[in-house]
């Protein structure tokens, strides 16, 4: 693998240590000269005395001029809070465009304003707060220099008030709700606005159009008149009470009543380092997974949705690549209760970042699964302008378990599995060059040799070009029991190139081709898979998009595979399959009350078969209170016997009702013909005070043919956030 040292040298040589590009954009924040009431009315003396950030720059449609839509931002603070006042002036007549009052809305589908805050001024991590024009809140943790984890939830308050010529967003953010280093008087900051009526996206400090407005590489500077105050003791207790009932109709057993309680605690060890504790956590209110028709040879990936694992979890979960994840938190508590857990995470200083987590699960008598302990530790050191070096250690231990003494016929589990990894993340000062190089080693009983993994990528992104290279190696004995590594014993090569063109006028904003080649080889460099994908994309000025594509696929099966995944029969290992496919994808403009996306593909399939796929996502909003969505997927597979013709429908209607920005109802039904299952999930949420909720969740599972109830459950959960 001579690519390893070569690419590492390239990554280091590409470090650009230029001065921060947007350092000239400064907003001075001073202590409020009067009390501030959060009501959307800017009548306080404090706001008249505050400095304003205005003259925003356009990002879209083109980043070569000032924004046409005016936005004015003011900030102030007192001993406990940061205050924010934003005046979003009208860019065109007509009503504002919003999805609903649901929290953490989709950025591109709403008129909105967002604050991006980098309290360590490291251009990598931070916080985001904002609202849409109807008052729905947005908050999240920022990581990787421009991504926002919206699972983060904390205590803050805001009001949006609409006027004939503007909408005003006013917010108060407690110092205790964020993390920052004492004594620092300059924070990275930027403000982003999305105005759908004019199709304009803008920011205060200019951001190139190829990057999201959340890019911390392009923040301006928030200059404090004195260092921000010490938030003092910061301890939050978050207990919950739960009651519920469930009944399994298939087993014929009587209904089972459930009562439970648990506690989360958040303790600020320092102003930038936090300790999270959980005892008997419950995740019954978490959104259900969106199902897919499974025609894949390998295990599917479903994202983590449990908030405890998501908060500050990017150090653990972002280590590696999409197909090489040494840590995947959904492995913890899979079918067994979690008794307790702890996580210490945050900044040690501007350059060092720490994350340590320990979780303890119970045993499962039905499957003889022993109690297990999971420990994950991550340490990250910033280098150069915005890059970092990270170390990861993972240990999964079965408690008081000896597989040699397992009962006859009982499943056998490993005593332990350990992973150690080192990773270098490249992010140049201007974000044009990004990349990653990592190595992993696993330790498991009875496995040695070919038990390591390596991967690296390098990407160049400019306005016209996006060029990238990625390669991966995973040894046949590499094992990540707490990770997601669906495939082992391979070498993968993925070059990609995209070219964009920008017409000076007309309905098309940008267009251009993309070519991607994905090749798999075994450890002796014999080809097993290859896909060559060529596409041409068009982005219109109204933000609707169209992509046309074609591909050639070659697969040599390494193990038997059922091409319809319903256990009818399997194609033999070693058989070779080759086919061509064409397809098209279209996404409508987000300004309409009725929005939709359509996808279609037609081509060959395994065993000289044919595959036709149609996918649609349709939505209509009665803004801002009701949003109706329907997702539908149809697959038609024509194969030789014994499979023959197979038609699979997957349909999922969803209803979101947001009566206020604290009162929500969601109903979601999924019909999966491949799995022969129909699922109904409804959730009522009342945020009766900041970060405190009442949930009522009802779920049903049905067998559609003949129609029959499989199981049914009702849960009521009360969560209360208490600051000490």
């Amino acid at each position: 693998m001579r690519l390893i040292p070569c690419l590492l040298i390239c990554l280091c040589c590409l470090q650009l240590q230029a001065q921060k590009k947007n350092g000239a954009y400064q907003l001075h924040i001073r202590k409020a000269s009067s009390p501030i009431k959060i009501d959307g009315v800017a009548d306080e003396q404090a706001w008249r005395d505050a400095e304003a950030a205005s003259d925003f720059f356009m990002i879209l449609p083109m980043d070569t001029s000032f924004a046409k839509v005016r936005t004015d931002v003011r900030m102030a603070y007192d001993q406990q809070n940061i205050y924010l006042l934003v005046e979003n002036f009208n860019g065109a007549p007509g009503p504002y465009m919003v999805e609903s009052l649901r929290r953490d809305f989709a950025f591109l589908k709403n008129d909105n304003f967002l604050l991006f805050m980098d309290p360590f001024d490291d251009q990598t991590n931070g916080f985001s707060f904002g609202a849409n024009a109807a008052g729905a809140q947005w908050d999240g943790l920022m990581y990787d220099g421009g991504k926002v984890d919206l699972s983060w939830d904390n205590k803050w308050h805001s009001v949006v008030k609409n006027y004939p010529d503007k909408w005003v967003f006013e917010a108060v953010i407690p110092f205790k709700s964020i993390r920052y280093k004492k004594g620092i008087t300059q924070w990275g900051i930027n403000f982003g606005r999305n105005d759908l009526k004019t199709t304009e996206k803008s920011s205060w400090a200019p951001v190139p159009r190829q990057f999201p407005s959340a890019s911390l590489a392009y923040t301006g500077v928030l200059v404090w008149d004195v260092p921000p105050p010490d938030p003092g003791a910061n301890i939050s207790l978050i207990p919950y009470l739960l009651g519920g009932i469930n009944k399994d109709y298939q087993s014929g057993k009587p209904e089972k009543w459930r009562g439970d309680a648990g506690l989360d605690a958040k303790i600020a060890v320092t102003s930038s380092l936090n300790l999270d504790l959980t005892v008997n956590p419950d995740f019954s209110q978490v959104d259900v997974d969106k199902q897919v028709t499974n025609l894949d040879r390998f295990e599917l990936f479903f994202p983590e949705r449990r908030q405890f694992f998501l908060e500050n979890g990017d150090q653990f979960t972002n280590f590696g690549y999409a197909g090489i994840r040494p840590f995947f938190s959904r492995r913890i508590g899979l079918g067994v209760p979690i008794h307790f857990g702890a996580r210490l995470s945050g900044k040690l200083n501007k350059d060092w970042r720490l994350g340590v987590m320990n979780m303890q699960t119970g045993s499962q008598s039905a499957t003889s699964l022993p109690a297990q302990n999971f420990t994950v530790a991550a340490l990250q050191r910033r280098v150069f302008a915005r890059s970092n070096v990270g170390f990861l250690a993972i240990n999964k231990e079965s408690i008081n378990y000896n597989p040699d003494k397992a009962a006859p016929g009982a499943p056998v589990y490993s005593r332990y599995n350990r992973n150690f990894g080192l990773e270098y993340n490249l992010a140049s000062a201007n974000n044009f060059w990004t990349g990653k190089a990592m190595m992993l080693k696993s330790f498991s009983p009875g496995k040695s040799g070919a038990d390591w993994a390596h991967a690296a990528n390098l990407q160049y992104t400019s306005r016209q070009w996006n060029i990238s290279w990625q390669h991966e190696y995973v040894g046949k004995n590499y094992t990540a029991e707490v990770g997601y590594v669906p495939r082992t014993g391979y070498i993968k090569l993925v070059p990609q190139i995209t070219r964009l063109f920008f017409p000076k006028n007309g309905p098309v904003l940008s267009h251009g081709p993309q070519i991607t080649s994905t090749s798999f080889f075994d450890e002796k460099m014999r080809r097993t898979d290859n896909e060559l994908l060529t596409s041409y994309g068009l982005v219109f000025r109204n933000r609707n998009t169209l992509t046309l594509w074609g591909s050639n696929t070659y697969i040599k099966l390494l193990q038997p595979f059922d091409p319809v995944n319903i256990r009818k029969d399997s194609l033999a290992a070693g058989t070779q399959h080759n086919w061509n496919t064409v397809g098209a994808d279209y996404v409508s403009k987000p300004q309409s009350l009725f929005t939709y996306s359509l996808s279609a593909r037609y081509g060959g399939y395994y065993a000289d078969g044919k595959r036709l796929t149609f996918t649609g996502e349709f939505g209509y909003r009665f803004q801002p209170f009701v949003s109706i969505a329907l997702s539908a997927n149809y697959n038609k597979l024509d194969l030789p016997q014994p499979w023959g013709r197979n038609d699979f429908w997957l349909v999922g209607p969803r209803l979101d009702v947001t009566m206020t920005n604290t009162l929500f109802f969601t109903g979601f039904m999924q019909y999966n013909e491949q799995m022969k299952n129909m699922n109904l999930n409804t959730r009522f949420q009342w945020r009766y005070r900041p970060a405190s909720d009442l949930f009522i969740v009802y779920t049903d599972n049905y067998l559609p043919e003949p129609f029959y109830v499989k199981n049914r459950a009702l849960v009521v959960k009360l969560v209360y956030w208490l600051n000490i």
Side-chain angles (χ1 to χ4, degrees):
M1 296 296 292
R2 295 180 180 177
L3 287 169
I4 298 174
C6 293
L7 196 54
L8 283 172
I9 293 172
C10 289
L11 291 177
C12 292
C13 290
L14 286 168
Q15 288 294 343
L16 304 178
Q17 301 185 61
Q19 292 296 313
K20 190 172 175 181
K21 183 176 180 64
N22 285 344
Y25 297 88
Q26 297 189 356
L27 175 65
H28 295 82
I29 182 171
R30 301 179 179 88
K31 193 168 186 178
S33 57
S34 70
I36 296 176
K37 181 181 179 181
I38 305 302
D39 55 5
V41 181
D43 57 355
E44 292 90 353
Q45 183 62 40
W47 292 133
R48 288 191 285 269
D49 294 339
E51 184 176 302
S54 54
D55 295 329
F56 277 40
F57 285 85
M58 190 185 299
I59 302 175
L60 292 175
M62 191 53 66
D63 57 358
T64 54
S65 67
F66 283 104
K68 297 179 181 178
V69 180
R70 177 184 166 191
T71 309
D72 292 342
V73 184
R74 292 173 173 83
M75 297 185 71
Y77 74 95
D78 59 20
Q79 199 64 26
Q80 291 80 34
N81 306 301
I82 299 174
Y83 296 92
L84 176 69
L85 177 74
V86 186
E87 295 176 280
N88 301 278
F89 290 87
N90 289 346
Y96 298 111
M97 306 294 176
V98 294
E99 281 184 294
S100 66
L101 297 169
R102 180 170 50 88
R103 292 178 60 85
D104 300 329
F105 47 82
F107 171 79
L108 293 176
K109 295 183 179 180
N110 290 262
D111 285 320
N112 64 74
F113 172 90
L114 300 180
L115 158 69
F116 307 110
M117 187 162 50
D118 177 9
F120 281 86
D121 200 25
D122 64 2
Q123 304 170 67
T124 305
N125 303 100
F127 303 88
S128 181
F129 298 89
N132 69 13
Q137 289 185 330
W138 157 299
D139 54 3
L141 288 175
M142 302 191 67
Y143 65 97
D144 275 3
K147 299 176 182 176
V148 182
D149 176 9
L150 294 175
S151 66
W152 183 76
D153 205 2
N154 220 307
K155 296 187 73 171
W156 63 291
H157 176 62
S158 67
V159 168
V160 165
K161 190 175 179 63
N162 285 267
Y163 296 86
D165 63 332
K166 62 186 176 182
W167 61 276
V168 173
F169 167 50
E170 192 171 19
V172 54
I173 303 167
F175 282 111
K176 290 186 176 184
S177 293
I178 59 175
R179 304 286 172 259
Y180 55 93
K181 190 68 177 177
K182 296 178 183 177
I184 295 180
T185 58
Q186 292 192 354
W187 292 7
I189 201 161
N190 208 353
F191 313 110
R193 182 176 174 190
N194 191 39
D195 188 78
L196 288 177
K197 288 187 291 184
T198 61
T199 70
E200 182 179 271
K201 184 173 76 167
S202 60
S203 63
W204 169 58
V207 178
R209 72 180 308 279
Q210 66 266 30
F211 302 124
S213 52
S215 296
L216 295 181
Y218 290 92
T219 55
V221 182
L222 183 68
V223 182
W224 296 79
D225 54 352
V226 296
D230 185 345
N234 189 356
I235 301 175
S236 299
L237 300 179
I238 313 169
Y240 79 85
L241 294 173
L242 179 147
I245 181 174
N246 63 75
K247 183 174 176 61
D248 187 340
Y249 289 86
Q250 288 184 305
S251 66
K253 296 180 180 179
E255 59 273 2
K256 183 179 180 181
W257 291 87
R258 178 188 175 195
D260 219 338
L263 176 70
D264 287 350
K266 295 179 178 292
I267 303 168
V269 179
T270 70
S271 62
S272 56
L273 193 64
N274 203 62
L275 175 64
D276 291 275
L277 305 173
T278 186
V279 178
N280 194 32
D282 170 83
F283 307 104
S284 57
Q285 81 280 8
V286 171
D287 271 340
V288 296
D289 289 320
K290 189 173 181 180
Q291 298 180 22
V292 296
T293 300
N294 183 9
L295 300 175
D296 203 285
R297 291 176 292 156
F298 303 101
E299 178 190 14
L300 297 178
F301 178 82
F302 291 94
E304 176 64 87
R305 297 180 181 274
R306 297 171 294 179
Q307 188 170 341
F308 181 85
F309 293 102
L310 290 169
E311 273 191 32
N312 289 317
D314 63 280
Q315 270 190 282
F316 311 134
T317 58
N318 290 347
F319 202 102
Y321 288 85
I324 313 176
R325 299 175 188 264
F327 178 73
F328 179 39
S329 57
R330 285 188 71 140
R331 305 292 189 202
I332 302 175
L334 189 64
V336 296
I338 297 175
H339 289 330
F340 56 83
R343 180 182 61 239
L344 180 68
S345 60
K347 287 275 196 174
L348 299 176
N349 55 40
K350 186 175 181 178
D351 294 325
W352 288 95
R353 191 171 177 229
L354 174 70
V356 181
M357 181 167 65
N358 183 271
M359 305 295 294
Q360 178 66 48
T361 65
S363 59
Q364 172 61 266
S365 57
T367 58
S368 302
L369 179 67
Q372 295 178 323
N373 183 266
F374 301 82
T375 301
V376 191
L379 185 64
Q380 196 175 85
R381 173 65 159 87
R382 189 175 79 144
V383 294
F384 303 110
R386 299 177 55 241
S387 304
N388 63 70
V389 176
F391 171 78
L392 183 72
I394 304 167
N395 182 58
K396 172 188 174 183
E397 198 90 23
S398 296
I399 308 299
N400 299 322
Y401 175 72
N402 187 342
D404 297 331
K405 297 181 179 180
V412 177
Y413 303 96
S414 63
R415 288 186 295 111
Y416 67 84
N417 175 248
R418 297 175 185 128
N419 266 257
F420 296 91
L422 188 67
E423 183 174 86
Y424 173 66
N425 290 283
L426 163 74
S428 65
N430 61 6
N431 214 41
F432 276 51
W433 289 97
T434 56
K436 176 185 290 191
M438 67 107 184
M439 296 188 69
L440 293 163
K441 180 80 163 61
S442 69
F443 298 86
S444 297
K447 290 188 177 182
S448 62
D451 55 0
W452 63 286
H454 158 73
N457 81 291
L458 181 63
Q459 178 170 298
Y460 172 76
T461 304
S462 70
R463 184 181 297 170
Q464 292 86 14
W465 292 96
N466 186 300
I467 303 171
S468 66
W469 166 270
Q470 180 172 323
H471 67 262
E472 301 174 4
Y473 164 74
V474 179
K476 62 182 180 180
N477 289 327
Y478 175 74
T479 307
E481 293 184 13
V482 198
Y484 175 77
V485 186
R487 185 170 181 167
T488 59
Y490 73 87
I491 296 168
K492 179 181 178 182
L493 306 178
V494 188
Q496 183 181 90
I497 184 169
T498 305
R499 174 67 161 95
L500 290 180
F501 302 93
F502 298 91
K504 293 184 177 180
N505 47 52
V508 176
L509 176 63
S510 65
H511 61 92
Q514 181 180 88
I515 300 175
T516 306
S517 175
T518 305
S519 300
F520 285 86
F521 305 85
D522 63 19
E523 292 179 278
K524 294 183 179 180
M525 286 303 294
R526 294 175 298 201
R527 187 179 71 154
T528 61
D529 304 68
N530 177 256
E531 181 181 67
L532 179 64
L533 175 66
T534 303
S535 64
Y536 203 95
L538 299 97
V539 178
F540 297 90
R541 295 189 185 274
N542 285 335
R543 297 198 190 176
N544 46 326
T545 63
L546 173 64
T547 304
L548 305 174
W549 59 272
S551 67
N552 173 262
T553 303
Y554 165 80
I555 291 176
K556 180 180 180 180
L557 291 176
L558 302 179
Q559 56 191 14
F561 173 62
D562 176 6
V564 296
N565 267 340
I566 56 175
R567 300 178 183 177
K568 182 175 286 189
D569 201 351
S570 294
L571 296 166
T575 56
Q576 300 182 51
H577 308 267
N578 187 276
W579 64 82
N580 297 313
T581 307
V582 294
D585 306 300
Y586 179 78
V587 179
S588 68
K589 62 181 183 180
Q591 299 93 325
S592 302
L593 295 178
F594 174 66
T595 58
Y596 59 93
S597 63
L598 300 171
S599 297
R601 60 173 289 169
Y602 178 74
Y605 196 55
Y606 293 93
D608 294 323
K610 296 293 182 182
R611 177 183 176 184
L612 173 66
T613 302
F614 290 109
T615 301
E617 300 273 351
F618 308 91
Y620 191 87
R621 58 182 186 264
F622 301 88
Q623 59 180 33
F625 302 110
V626 178
S627 175
I628 302 172
L630 173 67
S631 62
N633 175 268
Y634 170 71
N635 276 276
K636 174 186 174 183
L637 305 177
D638 283 317
L639 293 161
Q641 294 300 328
W643 301 281
R645 173 171 169 170
N646 293 267
D647 297 273
F648 295 138
W649 277 99
L650 179 62
V651 182
R654 182 184 180 103
L655 171 68
D656 281 290
V657 181
T658 55
M659 291 151 272
T660 69
N661 60 2
T662 60
L663 205 60
F664 316 101
F665 172 82
T666 298
F668 188 28
M669 177 177 282
Q670 298 184 88
Y671 167 67
N672 190 325
E673 189 171 9
Q674 186 186 39
M675 295 179 61
K676 305 298 182 186
N677 186 69
M678 182 182 294
N679 169 261
L680 172 66
N681 180 272
T682 64
R683 183 181 64 183
F684 171 83
Q685 178 185 359
W686 174 33
R687 175 145 291 191
Y688 58 91
R689 56 173 293 168
S692 300
D693 298 281
L694 170 69
F695 296 98
I696 302 175
V697 181
Y698 175 77
T699 59
D700 258 344
N701 278 290
Y702 302 93
L703 182 70
E705 296 178 4
F707 189 78
Y708 179 79
V709 180
K710 294 181 179 179
N711 50 69
R712 183 172 285 164
L714 175 68
V715 172
V716 179
K717 180 178 180 181
L718 182 68
V719 181
Y720 184 79
W721 186 302
L722 174 66
N723 283 339
I724 298 178

